[in-house]
Amino acid sequence: MNNIQPLVSDSGTVLKLEDKIFRIQNGDERLRNRIITNYQPFIKKVASKVCNRFIDHTMDEYSIGLFAFNEAINQYKDTQGTRFLTFADMVIRRRIIDYIRKEARSAKNYYLEQPDVDEEGQEESYIEQQAALQYYEEQQQIQERLEQIEAYKELLAEYGITFKVLSKNCPKHIDARENAKQIAKMLVEKPELAQYLKEKKQLPIKELLQFVSCSRKTIERNRKFIIAVALIHLGGFTALKPYIEPESIE
């Protein structure tokens, strides 16, 4: 059972994790230590999922995850449009995968230096290692894509949008979709508009009209689609980027 008491603001409200992260970035090292201690089970869980086996505090993968969690604390920004734990999960995964790749390369080089192994055995071992590593990376990519989709689904829900609703509100014509994508891209490139979207959970339509040539009616008709595309940009959902790339007209 975690006995760490929740941190409260001056007004007496319980601080969100993201607010605590910003306090740490402003120099609260005692809070950093509390957060890292509090989220050690989270770090172990992510490391175990990446490695597909139980990881405890004595293993190198856990140490890598611990450093990565601290790195995530330092690098997190509210402009990313995603929750801190989602961002931390991604950083931990990347660092552990980098570590596994490095270890795989080291193991390969060590094996090839052994004098008692014949060339055929070396070649077979190398091919097996490469095939295993490729399969592992493919599985990690699939897992990362699924987790990003789930995180994106949760983020959309905060704006009252579901995948079913989004499919119904997707513009039918390519030119209309491309126009909506451009509006979304322009929105996220302007900090004040992106901040409005994140705080109000609504499009800043009045402000958008100052930068686009389409009508208010067009923006309102494609409102949910524009928000959905903007959130992919803001959330850094790299696995979903193909869905917002320009489409070619046959």
Side-chain angles (χ1 to χ4, degrees):
M1 182 67 66
N2 189 344
N3 294 321
I4 296 179
Q5 296 298 316
L7 192 68
V8 297
S9 66
D10 295 335
S11 62
T13 58
V14 177
L15 288 177
K16 296 189 301 182
L17 177 57
E18 288 72 19
D19 294 327
K20 296 177 185 178
I21 297 303
F22 298 140
R23 283 199 175 189
I24 293 172
Q25 292 174 349
N26 288 325
D28 193 336
E29 291 302 313
R30 291 182 62 186
L31 180 57
R32 181 192 297 270
N33 293 333
R34 289 176 59 187
I35 291 297
I36 291 176
T37 299
N38 200 25
Y39 282 90
Q40 286 180 6
F42 168 80
I43 297 170
K44 292 178 184 177
K45 179 180 178 181
V46 175
S48 297
K49 289 176 67 177
V50 173
C51 299
N52 199 29
R53 59 190 173 90
F54 178 73
I55 300 297
D56 65 27
H57 67 280
T58 66
M59 298 179 177
D60 290 342
E61 290 84 354
Y62 171 71
S63 297
I64 299 296
L66 203 63
F67 281 112
F69 187 82
N70 188 58
E71 178 187 348
I73 291 177
N74 294 334
Q75 294 184 352
Y76 180 72
K77 298 178 182 179
D78 58 356
T79 55
Q80 292 165 323
T82 189
R83 296 172 181 173
F84 170 72
L85 288 183
T86 300
F87 177 69
D89 183 294
M90 178 184 67
V91 175
I92 293 171
R93 286 178 177 277
R94 287 178 177 176
R95 295 295 171 260
I96 292 179
I97 290 173
D98 288 344
Y99 169 76
I100 292 172
R101 288 171 175 164
K102 182 179 178 181
E103 289 298 297
R105 287 195 296 269
S106 298
K108 179 191 71 177
N109 292 335
Y110 172 79
Y111 189 83
L112 292 179
E113 289 171 1
Q114 302 308 300
D116 296 332
V117 181
D118 59 42
E119 293 183 2
E120 184 178 350
Q122 290 177 359
E123 183 66 22
E124 289 179 356
S125 176
Y126 175 76
I127 292 174
E128 289 173 357
Q129 289 178 7
Q130 290 301 106
L133 183 58
Q134 181 178 354
Y135 175 78
Y136 175 83
E137 291 177 346
E138 289 173 352
Q139 293 304 305
Q140 289 304 128
Q141 290 172 2
I142 292 172
Q143 183 65 25
E144 183 177 356
R145 188 179 302 114
L146 291 174
E147 291 181 355
Q148 285 195 23
I149 290 173
E150 186 61 30
Y152 180 56
K153 178 181 178 182
E154 292 180 4
L155 185 58
L156 282 176
E158 296 179 12
Y159 292 76
I161 302 174
T162 64
F163 286 156
K164 184 176 181 180
V165 168
L166 185 58
S167 65
K168 292 181 178 179
N169 286 269
C170 179
K172 299 298 186 295
H173 300 289
I174 291 181
D175 56 348
R177 286 197 299 273
E178 291 305 305
N179 184 51
K181 291 176 186 178
Q182 288 302 312
I183 293 174
K185 188 172 185 296
M186 184 275 299
L187 185 154
V188 302
E189 290 174 348
K190 297 186 178 300
E192 66 278 10
L193 300 187
Q195 191 64 29
Y196 183 100
L197 174 64
K198 290 189 290 183
E199 290 181 355
K200 305 291 186 180
K201 309 299 182 189
Q202 296 177 352
L203 279 183
I205 296 179
K206 181 179 178 181
E207 291 77 5
L208 276 174
L209 289 170
Q210 301 176 26
F211 302 100
V212 298
S213 58
C214 61
S215 66
R216 183 187 188 95
K217 184 177 180 181
T218 298
I219 295 178
E220 290 178 340
R221 181 171 60 248
N222 299 317
R223 176 181 60 85
K224 293 181 180 178
F225 182 77
I226 294 172
I227 290 175
V229 172
L231 292 179
I232 291 178
H233 285 293
L234 291 171
F237 296 111
T238 55
L240 303 179
K241 285 295 178 67
Y243 295 102
I244 59 176
E245 292 176 351
E247 302 175 55
S248 60
I249 301 177
E250 297 293 339

